């Protein structure tokens, strides 16, 4: 029989921990069992293919999950290697295009300035392929002159 709330208040911290330990352990076991059951449901087709009519133990479920993850990881690595540099270039180009669209969208939200115009002109040049050295500017860059910002607008430079 569980002690009454008044009796629990009179217990020492050591005795409270002794009472709490079985409850905490049961909660831990329930979490483990719940996660194993979720794995079983997620990998149900994989289990049916390898062991169609057998009752699975927890260890079987964990072993099958590890095997499936290793196989999936190896398959993904092989697919990436087979795609080759064309795949990398396409990913780079898609990423560059997305970044360019976001930057242009951001610049169009604000009033045009000399910096905005320079950036937009820069963005009109074709992107460099991945792994290519960075291009040097054609004209030497002048030292930036600090422009006085309007009072209401905070700028980090």
């Amino acid at each position: 029989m569980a002690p009454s709330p008044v009796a629990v208040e009179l217990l020492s911290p050591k005795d409270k921990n002794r009472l709490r330990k079985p409850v905490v352990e049961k909660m831990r076991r329930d979490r483990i069992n719940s996660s194993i059951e979720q794995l079983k449901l997620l990998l149900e087709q994989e289990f049916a293919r390898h062991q169609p009519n057998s009752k699975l133990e927890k260890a079987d479920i964990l072993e099958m999950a590890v095997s499936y993850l290793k196989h999936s990881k190896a398959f993904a690595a092989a697919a990436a290697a087979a795609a080759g540099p064309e795949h990398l270039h396409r990913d780079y180009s898609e990423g560059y295009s997305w970044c360019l669209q976001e930057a242009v969208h951001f610049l169009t939200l604000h009033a045009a300035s000399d910096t905005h115009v320079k950036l937009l002109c820069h963005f009109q040049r074709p992107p460099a392929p991945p792994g290519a050295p960075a291009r040097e500017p054609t004209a030497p860059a002048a030292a930036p002159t600090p422009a006085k910002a309007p009072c209401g607008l905070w700028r980090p430079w």
Side-chain angles (χ1 to χ4, degrees), residues 9-135:
E9 290 177 13
L10 299 175
L11 293 173
S12 69
K14 187 175 181 181
D15 291 333
K16 286 180 185 179
N17 286 341
R18 191 175 298 144
L19 286 175
R20 200 175 312 144
K21 186 175 180 181
V23 175
V24 171
E25 181 62 22
K26 183 179 181 339
M27 289 172 53
R28 186 185 71 80
R29 285 192 316 270
D30 287 345
R31 281 182 38 228
I32 291 170
N33 290 336
S34 172
S35 296
I36 289 174
E37 189 62 32
Q38 288 176 17
L39 269 176
K40 182 180 175 184
L41 292 174
L42 287 171
L43 299 172
E44 197 168 23
Q45 293 175 346
E46 190 73 16
F47 293 133
R49 192 171 36 159
H50 289 282
Q51 300 172 348
N53 297 323
S54 65
K55 178 170 177 356
L56 296 169
E57 295 179 0
K58 293 175 188 177
D60 295 330
I61 294 169
L62 291 173
E63 286 172 351
M64 192 68 86
V66 168
S67 171
Y68 178 79
L69 289 172
K70 282 182 179 178
H71 175 72
S72 295
K73 187 175 181 181
F75 181 75
E86 298 83 23
H87 177 70
L88 292 175
H89 182 68
R90 187 183 74 238
D91 286 350
Y92 174 82
S93 296
E94 288 173 2
Y96 182 87
S97 297
W98 178 81
C99 183
L100 179 62
Q101 288 173 356
E102 290 293 317
V104 168
H105 176 72
F106 176 78
L107 290 172
T108 57
L109 292 176
H110 302 286
S113 70
D114 187 40
T115 306
H116 288 106
V117 173
K118 286 180 183 178
L119 280 172
L120 289 172
C121 289
H122 174 75
F123 289 151
Q124 289 177 354
R125 286 190 273 161
R135 289 186 282 208

